[in-house]
Amino acid sequence: MAQGAGRTITQVVAVVALAAAVTVFLSVAAVRHGFFDLQVYYGALTYWARDGGEIYDFLRPGTQYGFTYPPFAALVMLPMAYLPWGAAIVVSVTATVLASAVVIWRLLDPVARRSGWTRWFALAVALCLAAAYEPMRETVNFGQVNMLLLFLVAVDLLWLLPARSRWAGVGIGLATAIKLTPGIFIVYLLVTGRWRAALTTVGTAAVATLVAAGLFPDASREFWTEALWNTDRVGELAFVSNQSLRGVVARLDPQHPSTIAWLVLVLLTLVVWAWRSRAAVAAGDEATGLALTGAVMCLVSPVTWVHHLVWLLPGLILLVDNGMAAPARSRRRRLLLAAALIGYALLCSRIVWSWEKDFTGVDGFLGSNTYVWISLALLLGLPVRRWLTPAGGGRPGSGVPAGSASGGVPQFAEQDRGAATGQRHRIGGLLTVR
């Protein structure tokens, strides 16, 4: 009892110390955006719902920024127009924190159980580290919806699809109706052969869009015919915050960015993604499918602001997962954990902003696109885990292998390629495919 109490006290002190360190780091490193994007949403919704204007006619005073999401997003956010500004901030921050906690916990819990970590302690440490992660702190400071969309997609891919639920696809459909970019997950379902879930996704997105069109025909007409195609409302493609392949190409020649070069890069990237995603699903590794698709979405989208890179969080967590599943003191464990640490550190560092005003030269090309290189590294190098299914038991991707009780700790196997004997080391749940 005394030993357990002492361990708990030590963990509480460690979490408090880490939280204090992160607070100091944020006070120095975090840029204050004053909930800029949330002000755009709030202003547009207020102008639309209470002042009688059209939502897509609104521009934040002194800027070219307006409401850029589909009408269904306006419907979902409509209650915000009737809240005080302070309450809107509280709702935005609370929703982001809760969504982040659920997604991180779902991805981290298997690591904690296999490694023998206290589960509340693992989650507390992860949330502190997530607070320092630049895309996450930008999401909170801008008042963005990124983590809410990731949550909707994760519900489908990490809970409903492995359970073969008839509702699988609803989350992706709603996310796509709110913001078009999660529609890449519809393609993910198609290229991996989940036709029923893909149909559910398309149906959900279509119904949500039609409901919004029925309620707000003028706004829907304006969005689909005009606002959607007005790229001036989004921002400059060459701006260093645009960490997509389109941003890379635009920074090479801001005045005349090559559309052909961008399309060729996008095509090659999608081919690699489709191949790796099919391998992940064939192995029953839906979490890696989520991470790969999140990375490719950031790469192929014309505009991927830094705050959109919260979609890389699953990949970084899975690097830790794979590293901890590798044999202790193995080269593979050191390599994967080092990759996770370096990727995370760079994504906390604001390093790309060093080239905000001048991204010319070799150093500008390499440095201003740092986060793009991380996205590419995850797409190319994130291991695919194969769930073992001995005869007479579990199904791939269920999270419960054959012969184990539902809800128990999964049993995984890790093969160390460097082992001369080829011996398999039983760690706790998955066979990693190199």
Side-chain angles (χ1 to χ4, degrees):
M1 177 70 74
Q3 183 178 2
R7 181 188 185 190
T8 300
I9 292 172
T10 300
Q11 290 175 337
V12 170
V13 171
V15 169
V16 171
L18 179 60
V22 169
T23 301
V24 172
F25 172 76
L26 293 178
S27 68
V28 174
V31 176
R32 306 294 188 270
H33 298 294
F35 299 96
F36 183 95
D37 290 355
L38 188 64
Q39 287 185 32
V40 173
Y41 309 153
Y42 188 82
L45 291 164
T46 301
Y47 177 72
W48 180 47
R50 299 171 60 182
D51 298 340
E54 284 294 341
I55 189 168
Y56 296 108
D57 292 340
F58 174 84
L59 293 178
R60 190 177 186 272
T63 75
Q64 79 274 30
Y65 296 107
F67 195 83
T68 58
Y69 297 164
F72 181 71
L75 175 61
V76 172
M77 297 181 185
L78 187 57
M80 186 190 305
Y82 301 96
L83 293 177
W85 170 239
I89 293 175
V90 171
V91 170
S92 173
V93 173
T94 302
T96 295
V97 170
L98 291 177
S100 302
V102 172
V103 173
I104 291 172
W105 177 242
R106 176 62 180 83
L107 292 167
L108 187 66
D109 188 46
V111 192
R113 288 186 291 165
R114 282 204 315 276
S115 303
W117 300 340
T118 306
R119 295 162 79 183
W120 74 263
F121 177 69
L123 179 61
V125 169
L127 289 177
C128 287
L129 295 177
Y133 182 66
E134 184 181 355
M136 181 69 77
R137 64 185 194 243
E138 294 278 284
T139 288
V140 173
N141 281 327
F142 274 116
Q144 264 283 344
V145 298
N146 306 306
M147 282 308 302
L148 304 180
L149 300 178
L150 176 52
F151 168 77
L152 288 173
V153 172
V155 166
D156 270 345
L157 298 191
L158 302 183
W159 280 280
L160 299 182
L161 265 179
R164 300 182 182 179
S165 169
R166 61 189 293 186
W167 299 103
V170 170
I172 296 172
L174 291 174
T176 303
I178 292 171
K179 187 175 182 179
L180 299 180
T181 48
I184 186 69
F185 285 93
I186 301 176
V187 185
Y188 168 73
L189 293 174
L190 291 173
V191 300
T192 54
R194 270 76 65 81
W195 309 107
R196 177 174 175 175
L199 184 61
T200 301
T201 298
V202 172
T204 301
V207 168
T209 301
L210 290 173
V211 167
L215 293 173
F216 317 120
D218 292 339
S220 296
R221 186 183 309 109
E222 184 172 356
F223 176 79
W224 295 107
T225 61
E226 296 183 28
L228 175 61
W229 314 105
N230 184 0
T231 57
D232 291 338
R233 298 164 64 92
V234 177
E236 183 183 352
L237 292 176
F239 184 41
V240 74
S241 183
N242 185 11
Q243 291 292 303
S244 69
L245 293 173
R246 185 63 159 157
V248 173
V249 173
R251 281 186 285 278
L252 288 174
D253 186 358
Q255 299 303 317
H256 304 95
S258 173
T259 300
I260 294 178
W262 171 58
L263 290 176
V264 169
L265 289 173
V266 166
L267 180 60
L268 292 174
T269 302
L270 288 174
V271 169
V272 173
W273 162 73
W275 166 60
R276 300 218 68 217
S277 294
R278 287 176 63 86
V281 171
D285 188 3
E286 208 71 67
T288 297
L290 166 64
L292 293 173
T293 308
V296 86
M297 181 178 70
C298 294
L299 289 166
V300 304
S301 173
V303 175
T304 298
W305 302 135
V306 168
H307 55 76
H308 294 148
L309 296 175
V310 294
W311 289 92
L312 300 185
L313 264 179
L316 293 175
I317 295 173
L318 291 176
L319 280 177
V320 175
D321 190 351
N322 282 279
M324 295 304 297
R329 295 182 297 279
S330 68
R331 179 174 177 271
R332 178 175 177 79
R333 172 177 282 202
R334 292 194 299 270
L335 180 62
L336 290 172
L337 293 181
L341 177 61
I342 293 170
Y344 169 78
L346 287 173
L347 282 162
C348 290
S349 68
R350 287 184 54 83
I351 187 171
V352 298
W353 298 98
S354 300
W355 292 271
E356 179 181 3
K357 299 187 183 302
D358 182 9
F359 37 73
T360 59
V362 175
D363 67 310
F365 175 73
L366 296 175
S368 68
N369 300 308
T370 298
Y371 300 165
V372 179
W373 311 142
I374 295 174
S375 297
L376 283 169
L378 288 172
L379 177 64
L380 295 170
L382 187 63
V384 171
R385 294 104 33 97
R386 186 178 301 280
W387 291 74
L388 297 181
T389 52
R395 60 184 183 276
S398 67
V400 183
S404 67
S406 176
V409 179
Q411 296 301 310
F412 302 112
E414 170 68 27
Q415 183 180 9
D416 184 359
R417 174 174 278 180
T421 62
Q423 179 183 4
R424 291 186 177 182
H425 303 266
R426 189 159 293 278
I427 307 290
L430 38 95
L431 177 67
T432 301
V433 181
R434 290 357 187 236

